[in-house]
Amino acid sequence: MRKIMKLAGGLLLAMIITSSCKKDNKPLDLNFTPVGTLATPNDNADVKLDPTSSASVLFKWDAAQTNDGGVILYEIAFDKEGGDFSKPVAKVLSDGAGIQPQLTISHKDLNKIASAAGIASLSTGKLKWTVIASKGINAKPASVARSLQLERPAGFAENPTELYITGSATEGGSDLSKAVKLKKVEDGVFEIYTSLKAGDYYLTDKNSDGGKRYYIDNGIIKEGTNTVTVTGDAKTYRLNYDFTSATTKSMQIQSIGLYMSAYGTEIGTLNYIGNGVFEAPKIAVEFYQFSWGRDERYKFILHTAAGLEYQGSTNANNVAPAGQPASYFYLVPVSNSQWDNTYKFDPSADRKNVKVDVMFQPTAYTHKVTVL
């Protein structure tokens, strides 16, 4: 009896599947009426781009029409002024993974599209845009298009993710494979402590062939194959390159002082030895005797062409270094307060000589104290 019921159930299921398959054999209707009206932004609307903000532009249009109510997908096509969309500079799916008849696009992404269309930074230019609707393999552009006038800020639409300095004026010389890497401070901002001598240099996003090249022209970062010429004796610098604004900063670093808080003065000098490292091979250390005990606090003073800068701990008050993580020794800009943001020597350094290294390198800005 069970076998008969199973057989009957199987026959019924087969009949349902066969019936369903027959219904699905109906040909798919790919016909639809393309987008006919663009709503916003208005034709020739002006947009002053601010890629560093969260600002965006909303594009809206009337939905394409279909007889069977099938799903329509949308994407906006952008082209250069005078383009015919046969080779658009960019295509972007609408909101809702392409289903909604609107697109919210950030100023940052519009800045990239404007750059791809040949609109230079610190200039104004126009983009054309239209909407392409599709149903299955059938795609139809809108019957209308509009223009958008964009004002680009200074800076690059695409910031490099890595940056190197190379050339005869640099520590790595002209061998590209030995180009010196910069520290990425934040998106689009890079920094390096290095020496430069007479010669030339340029910046690149790769230490191998095929990378983009950059140079400095009157303090402005520009893309191209030009180089920067350096004259005079070798000097140590902190170089900062901000691609978000295409600006640079340069500061000569003369030396670094080891500042001991209790004495209120520097007890030794670190000089630059290359590869972002300042070193003092031998400094005598003696903790200061207070009524409550011996004080071992210290931090660093950078002697620059513009004056003194202080580097110390992220912690306002610190513990002894034993057992602390690597971050204990990290260096950050701090105030000239006598006691705040200092480190502590290991107790074994009292009345001993120490070797001190300050390392400004891409992996970390940090330091090391070795008791001799």
Side-chain angles (χ1 to χ4, degrees):
M1 187 63 150
R2 287 180 182 173
K3 288 183 179 180
I4 294 173
M5 289 178 68
K6 286 182 179 179
L7 180 60
L11 290 172
L12 179 60
L13 179 60
M15 290 172 65
I16 293 172
I17 292 173
T18 302
S19 174
S20 299
C21 289
K22 285 181 180 179
K23 289 180 181 178
D24 289 340
N25 284 335
K26 184 174 68 175
L28 182 64
D29 182 6
L30 298 179
N31 291 321
F32 67 93
T33 302
V35 172
T37 302
L38 305 179
T40 60
N42 295 328
D43 197 21
N44 292 309
D46 292 315
V47 178
K48 185 175 183 178
L49 295 173
D50 182 7
T52 62
S53 73
S54 59
S56 61
V57 176
L58 178 63
F59 294 81
K60 297 187 75 172
W61 54 89
D62 289 351
Q65 300 300 312
T66 176
N67 293 328
D68 62 359
V71 174
I72 300 288
L73 295 179
Y74 303 97
E75 60 182 353
I76 287 189
F78 295 94
D79 209 344
K80 298 178 181 180
E81 184 179 18
D84 60 3
F85 299 104
S86 59
K87 293 181 180 179
V89 296
K91 288 182 178 180
V92 185
L93 275 178
S94 72
D95 295 345
I99 293 178
Q100 297 181 35
Q102 68 174 47
L103 169 65
T104 308
I105 186 166
S106 68
H107 278 210
K108 182 176 181 179
D109 287 336
L110 268 179
N111 192 41
K112 293 177 182 179
I113 295 170
S115 176
I119 303 173
S121 60
L122 285 175
S123 65
T124 301
K126 285 188 176 183
L127 282 178
K128 287 181 65 177
W129 65 277
T130 193
V131 179
I132 300 174
S134 61
K135 186 178 182 184
I137 60 173
N138 190 17
K140 297 180 182 181
S143 58
V144 291
R146 284 185 176 177
S147 291
L148 188 65
Q149 181 159 288
L150 301 176
E151 182 182 342
R152 289 193 60 205
F156 290 77
E158 292 279 2
N159 295 324
T161 57
E162 293 185 336
L163 195 66
Y164 300 83
I165 186 169
T166 185
S168 61
T170 70
E171 293 183 14
S174 298
D175 185 345
L176 183 56
S177 67
K178 296 179 181 178
V180 186
K181 189 175 184 179
L182 282 76
K183 178 180 175 63
K184 185 176 182 179
V185 179
E186 57 185 90
D187 184 34
V189 182
F190 299 85
E191 189 173 82
I192 188 171
Y193 286 75
T194 192
S195 63
L196 293 174
K197 59 181 181 292
D200 55 45
Y201 74 88
Y202 64 90
L203 304 167
T204 179
D205 63 352
K206 291 182 181 179
N207 61 344
S208 58
D209 292 337
K212 292 182 180 179
R213 287 182 53 164
Y214 309 94
Y215 66 98
I216 312 306
D217 182 13
N218 290 322
I220 302 298
I221 306 171
K222 295 184 178 180
E223 186 174 349
T225 58
N226 291 3
T227 59
V228 180
T229 300
V230 179
T231 59
D233 297 333
K235 293 183 177 67
T236 304
Y237 296 93
R238 179 179 61 225
L239 305 174
N240 182 285
Y241 303 96
D242 187 343
F243 283 78
T244 65
S245 60
T247 57
T248 67
K249 295 177 184 177
S250 174
M251 180 60 67
Q252 184 185 350
I253 309 297
Q254 298 156 342
S255 64
I256 296 179
L258 176 60
Y259 174 85
M260 200 155 180
S261 296
Y263 294 101
T265 190
E266 298 173 38
I267 63 169
T269 300
L270 290 74
N271 294 308
Y272 188 69
I273 63 171
N275 194 33
V277 178
F278 292 79
E279 183 177 276
K282 187 177 181 180
I283 298 177
V285 173
E286 183 173 353
F287 298 171
Y288 188 86
Q289 184 66 53
F290 284 102
S291 59
W292 47 262
R294 297 178 68 77
D295 193 275
E296 69 274 55
R297 283 174 282 182
Y298 70 93
K299 56 185 172 183
F300 298 95
I301 300 178
L302 272 64
H303 292 254
T304 80
L308 302 181
E309 298 178 6
Y310 288 75
Q311 293 271 333
S313 172
T314 56
N315 301 318
N317 298 292
N318 253 334
V319 296
Q324 297 304 310
S327 58
Y328 175 93
F329 300 95
Y330 287 177
L331 295 157
V332 296
V334 297
S335 74
N336 63 354
S337 169
Q338 183 175 1
W339 304 105
D340 293 343
N341 303 101
T342 54
Y343 309 93
K344 289 187 176 182
F345 284 112
D346 187 89
S348 63
D350 194 12
R351 296 190 179 96
K352 297 284 181 61
N353 292 320
V354 297
K355 177 176 176 286
V356 184
D357 294 282
V358 165
M359 293 84 77
F360 292 110
Q361 295 176 324
T363 50
Y365 287 176
T366 187
H367 76 283
K368 181 180 181 180
V369 176
T370 305
V371 179
L372 301 177

